[in-house]
Amino acid sequence: MYDIKTFNAIAPVGLARFNEENFTINKTETPAGIILRSEKLHDYAFPTSVLAVARAGAGTNNVPVKQCTENGIVVFNTPGANANAVKELVIACLLLSVRPILKGSNWVQTLTGTDTEEQAEAQKKQFAGTELEGKKLGVIGLGAIGAMVANDAYRLGMEVTGFDPFVSVDTAWSISRRVKRAQSMEEVLKTCDFITVHVPLSENTHHLIGKEQLAQMKENAVLLNFARGELVETQAVIDALANGEISNFVTDFADERLLHNEKVLVLPHLGASTEEAEINCAKMAARTLKKFLETGNIKRSVNFPTVEMAFNSPFRFTIVHRNVPNMLGQISTGIANLEINIDTMINRSRDDYAYTIVDIAETDEEKINAAAEKIQAAENIIRVRTIKNTEAVSY
């Protein structure tokens, strides 16, 4: 029986995927898995029972990923589950950036008298805008969200240029062939009227857009950031707006320094705030976590490699270990010395860590437990699990 601890409000339809035969929700102080949305876990004291954390969203900056990795805790996210919600908001803000819709609407509310329609007609010219059709949009980062923004912006009549040196094969297939691919970020910055950023936050992308990049942009350019606040250097943007280096900034991250600036539109982190997105993220997080706990298979992890193998043997070992030479030999020898036959074995690595699945053609639980203890005691082994095969598991 696995207990799942939840932080934040997780959509019930997602939690319903944890069947009562194998799972409980928030019933013990020793959970096997955690599901969360925005709760910050950097100061959380993880029980040793925790095997995995599933973030119902794409970003994992609220999870201490490095600490989890060192302790053999697999961290999952839900890439693409909220992509449509974010895409729709980006498209809406592109429209808001060229049409003063909000200002016009607020102004109408100030009208008084019986001739409001006449007043509105007489003064509407002050709220005239421009159109997106024919303008150039640059998309930096062509993951699930960036690709959708690029495709839909093209359908609005925009000329779209994308830049992503690490675009995946799956994403490449999903991007319209009419979206031009830039060879450098500089090309996007210098040629586009609108630039939207859709890359994950990391050491390499922190302040991806700073003073140097802003100086390369057109004076009438609009910058949009709906990915992570730290991707853009806030003070550099404020200075660029004041100096006329760019025209406007639209962001989903409410930095105090950006407030009360006529050239900035700030939203209260609404990107994934739709009923559909929350449901999709909860369902994906639950499905991924459930599969990992019951089979040991890893998919959509941010700190361990993808490792999947059909589970046909009576028992399975899953082993988190350091990525050093001769680990497979050490593991297989330890099992063989206890006269246990290995049915199937798979190993994958990611940076300094690796993950190995070993299926065992053995039903003697005493021998299996002894083998697990022997493996756990070996050098460079971080965590060993023994999983008993349960028939007819569906996902």
Side-chain angles (χ1 to χ4, degrees), residues 89-91 93-95 97-98 132 135-142 145-146 149-150 153 158-164 182 184-199 208-228 231-232 237 240-241 245-253 263 265:
L89 189 60
V90 172
I91 295 297
C93 286
L94 280 170
L95 292 165
S97 71
V98 293
L132 291 176
K135 306 299 191 303
K136 295 182 178 180
L137 172 68
V139 182
I140 299 174
L142 295 168
I145 296 171
V149 170
M158 302 187 77
E159 296 180 27
V160 184
T161 299
F163 172 71
D164 190 335
S184 67
M185 191 168 76
E186 182 180 3
E187 178 183 344
V188 174
L189 297 173
K190 288 184 174 182
T191 62
C192 293
D193 305 305
F194 302 83
I195 296 169
T196 181
V197 183
H198 298 284
V199 299
L208 180 71
I209 304 295
K211 182 177 180 180
E212 179 182 346
Q213 290 72 33
L214 291 161
Q216 298 175 38
M217 295 169 61
K218 293 182 176 182
E219 291 183 358
N220 65 343
V222 176
L223 175 65
L224 301 95
N225 178 21
F226 286 80
R228 283 292 176 268
L231 294 172
V232 174
V237 169
L241 290 168
E245 293 179 348
I246 65 172
S247 174
N248 294 93
F249 180 47
V250 185
T251 182
D252 206 17
F253 307 99
K263 295 183 177 181
L265 174 60

Side-chain angles (χ1 to χ4, degrees), residues 303-323:
N303 61 339
F304 282 96
T306 296
V307 187
E308 295 185 279
M309 187 169 72
F311 192 2
N312 297 316
S313 299
F315 285 91
R316 164 173 287 184
F317 293 141
T318 65
I319 307 162
V320 178
H321 56 88
R322 302 193 183 280
N323 186 22

Side-chain angles (χ1 to χ4, degrees), residues 89-385:
L89 189 60
V90 172
I91 295 297
C93 286
L94 280 170
L95 292 165
L96 290 174
S97 71
V98 293
R99 303 287 295 274
I101 297 169
L102 297 178
K103 289 182 180 179
S105 176
N106 291 335
W107 175 80
V108 168
Q109 298 298 321
T110 68
L111 298 180
T112 58
T114 59
D115 61 340
T116 55
E117 185 173 351
E118 289 79 5
Q119 292 181 59
E121 285 292 331
Q123 298 296 323
K124 69 180 183 181
K125 288 184 179 180
Q126 64 181 304
F127 304 110
T130 58
E131 298 180 11
L132 291 176
E133 186 175 14
K135 306 299 191 303
K136 295 182 178 180
L137 172 68
V139 182
I140 299 174
L142 295 168
I145 296 171
M148 294 177 74
V149 170
N151 288 340
D152 279 19
Y154 167 76
R155 296 185 184 104
L156 288 175
M158 302 187 77
E159 296 180 27
V160 184
T161 299
F163 172 71
D164 190 335
F166 306 110
V167 64
S168 69
V169 174
D170 289 341
T171 299
W173 278 107
S174 71
I175 300 174
S176 169
R177 60 184 177 84
R178 295 179 177 84
V179 173
K180 178 184 176 182
R181 183 163 183 189
Q183 297 304 309
S184 67
M185 191 168 76
E186 182 180 3
E187 178 183 344
V188 174
L189 297 173
K190 288 184 174 182
T191 62
C192 293
D193 305 305
F194 302 83
I195 296 169
T196 181
V197 183
H198 298 284
V199 299
L201 179 62
S202 67
E203 292 182 3
N204 294 329
T205 61
H206 184 264
H207 287 178
L208 180 71
I209 304 295
K211 182 177 180 180
E212 179 182 346
Q213 290 72 33
L214 291 161
Q216 298 175 38
M217 295 169 61
K218 293 182 176 182
E219 291 183 358
N220 65 343
V222 176
L223 175 65
L224 301 95
N225 178 21
F226 286 80
R228 283 292 176 268
E230 297 86 349
L231 294 172
V232 174
E233 188 177 354
T234 300
Q235 190 57 53
V237 169
I238 294 171
D239 294 342
L241 290 168
N243 297 333
E245 293 179 348
I246 65 172
S247 174
N248 294 93
F249 180 47
V250 185
T251 182
D252 206 17
F253 307 99
D255 189 309
E256 182 182 2
R257 293 170 291 174
L258 295 170
L259 304 181
H260 314 297
N261 188 324
E262 291 186 353
K263 295 183 177 181
V264 180
L265 174 60
V266 184
L267 301 180
H269 204 186
L270 297 178
S273 295
T274 68
E275 180 180 343
E276 294 87 348
E278 291 180 8
I279 289 174
N280 290 339
C281 287
K283 288 166 65 175
M284 183 182 290
R287 183 168 60 247
T288 302
L289 182 56
K290 179 176 185 286
K291 187 172 185 178
F292 170 73
L293 292 176
E294 292 186 333
T295 71
N297 286 338
I298 295 178
K299 187 176 182 179
R300 303 187 191 95
S301 172
V302 301
N303 61 339
F304 282 96
T306 296
V307 187
E308 295 185 279
M309 187 169 72
F311 192 2
N312 297 316
S313 299
F315 285 91
R316 164 173 287 184
F317 293 141
T318 65
I319 307 162
V320 178
H321 56 88
R322 302 193 183 280
N323 186 22
V324 296
N326 198 38
M327 287 304 300
L328 292 184
Q330 180 178 305
I331 292 169
S332 58
T333 299
I335 295 173
N337 286 343
L338 291 173
E339 298 182 349
I340 296 176
N341 290 328
I342 295 175
D343 190 3
T344 314
M345 189 174 188
I346 186 172
N347 167 270
R348 295 287 184 272
S349 63
R350 183 167 180 171
D351 300 324
D352 295 330
Y353 296 87
Y355 187 76
T356 299
I357 296 177
V358 185
D359 280 359
I360 304 300
E362 175 65 61
T363 57
D364 187 333
E365 291 196 41
E366 286 190 11
K367 291 177 66 175
I368 290 169
N369 292 335
E373 290 178 7
K374 187 176 183 66
I375 297 170
Q376 182 69 71
E379 187 177 4
N380 294 311
I381 298 294
I382 297 171
R383 170 168 257 167
V384 178
R385 289 179 63 203

Side-chain angles (χ1 to χ4, degrees), residues 17-72:
R17 291 181 175 267
F18 294 108
N19 53 294
E20 295 181 356
E21 293 81 5
N22 296 327
F23 295 91
T24 57
I25 307 294
N26 296 319
K27 294 295 185 182
T28 74
E29 297 299 319
T30 56
I34 293 173
I35 290 186
L36 75 159
R37 291 170 58 199
S38 58
E39 181 77 12
K40 294 181 180 179
L41 297 186
H42 292 280
D43 295 326
Y44 176 66
F46 285 83
T48 56
S49 58
V50 175
L51 301 170
V53 175
R55 160 76 163 93
T60 54
N61 55 311
N62 57 324
V63 179
V65 176
K66 183 178 180 181
Q67 175 189 336
C68 287
T69 306
E70 293 170 348
N71 289 296

